[in-house]
Amino acid sequence: MTSEVHALARQDECCRRLTSVPGIGALTASAVVATIGNGAAFSKGCDFGAWLGLVPKQLSTRDRTIFGRLSKRGNKYVRRLFIIGDASMDAVIQTNFDLLISDWHDSDLRAMFRY
């Protein structure tokens, strides 16, 4: 079954773009595309994160903003896949920081970390 998912992910343009992001594999990309399609419903990536429940709830009164727990809205399966991908990238960053910086990030990130 996983070979079928990998084959379908290689054929779809949206899946190929998603898999270019570190931490997102064929399974996560195909689940995201199956859930939201091409993402045209969201004007920003932040909106997708809020829909999925990956950002904390905000309670605002005048000049005071309180961040609460994660709202956990949206598709539980896709949210779990993103969390697993994030955990795998944390492990990669801890072991191969130089490789990650040189391959995926640009020089601005190097300057931010003074690396």
Side-chain angles (χ1 to χ4, degrees):
M1 183 168 133
T2 57
S3 60
E4 294 174 6
V5 171
H6 285 283
L8 290 172
R10 281 192 296 271
Q11 293 173 359
D12 187 39
E13 176 62 28
C14 292
C15 286
R16 281 197 306 263
R17 280 186 285 163
L18 284 170
T19 55
S20 70
V21 177
I24 296 182
L27 190 60
T28 305
S30 61
V32 169
V33 170
T35 304
I36 65 165
N38 65 359
F42 306 104
S43 61
K44 299 179 283 191
C46 179
D47 295 340
F48 173 65
W51 175 82
L52 198 56
L54 291 173
V55 296
K57 262 188 206 176
Q58 284 188 4
L59 306 171
S60 301
T61 58
R62 289 191 184 166
D63 59 342
R64 189 173 136 195
T65 302
I66 300 171
F67 293 104
R69 300 177 0 168
L70 293 180
S71 63
K72 296 185 182 175
R73 297 175 185 249
N75 190 320
K76 184 177 183 179
Y77 177 68
V78 175
R79 184 173 57 249
R80 183 177 303 269
L81 289 174
F82 273 110
I83 292 170
I84 291 169
D86 178 55
S88 71
M89 284 311 300
D90 286 345
V92 168
I93 288 172
Q94 288 176 0
T95 57
N96 298 329
F97 187 72
D98 293 334
L99 179 66
L100 185 68
I101 291 294
S102 64
D103 285 350
W104 193 69
H105 295 299
D106 57 4
S107 61
D108 293 337
L109 189 59
R110 288 180 198 240
M112 182 170 49
F113 284 115
R114 290 177 173 62
Y115 191 77

